[in-house]
Amino acid sequence: MNEVFNTPFEISLRVILLLSACDNAITADRAAALDFITVYSSAFHLSQQSINGENDFGFSEFATRRELVNKALKSMVIDGLMAVRRDELGFQYSLSPSGRKFCSSLNSEYAKEYSKLAAITVRSTKTKSDVDLLTLITHESTQSLRR
């Protein structure tokens, strides 16, 4: 693999960090939305600067991000890093004990900053449904295009 960025592998690392900030299991759509909001936290007024820098075309990434998150989650379930269960909302994902152990080994500056922003994102969106999160992303995307 010649590229690491925007791959299921990169998304896997972030989703592991993201799920460590969650109290409960979450859907793939919620994981994609929370990861997106965390990465572009300044656009959602959660930080001064986005962790991957500012990007005028960031909102165009969301459709691809959802697909990558689904691939990453499937891979992590197979690898034993994620637990999955099905309920009335669909498939719900959480870290397995192996995933928690692996998460604790991620200690780069990026991982620390992402974890901090993920905790802020999770806390600020905990009362929102998955649909509300997707609506929020759509709204901010529209606002971004108007600027």
Side-chain angles (χ1 to χ4, degrees), residues 103-122:
C103 183
S104 68
S105 74
L106 300 174
N107 56 17
S108 68
E109 287 304 313
Y110 182 90
K112 290 174 188 173
E113 184 64 20
Y114 182 91
S115 294
K116 183 179 93 176
L117 290 171
I120 292 168
T121 300
V122 168

Side-chain angles (χ1 to χ4, degrees), residues 65-119:
R65 177 79 47 97
R66 287 174 82 179
E67 182 180 325
L68 288 171
V69 165
N70 278 308
K71 287 179 181 178
L73 287 167
K74 288 176 187 175
S75 177
M76 289 186 292
V77 168
I78 290 169
D79 292 341
L81 298 171
M82 290 285 152
V84 62
R85 66 178 167 76
R86 186 169 182 191
D87 66 15
E88 68 279 352
L89 297 175
F91 291 104
Q92 302 278 332
Y93 298 88
S94 60
L95 288 176
S96 69
S98 296
R100 290 196 184 287
K101 183 177 179 183
F102 180 71
C103 183
S104 68
S105 74
L106 300 174
N107 56 17
S108 68
E109 287 304 313
Y110 182 90
K112 290 174 188 173
E113 184 64 20
Y114 182 91
S115 294
K116 183 179 93 176
L117 290 171

Side-chain angles (χ1 to χ4, degrees), residues 30-41:
R30 189 170 197 84
L34 292 175
D35 176 59
F36 188 83
I37 293 167
T38 298
V39 168
Y40 292 105
S41 57

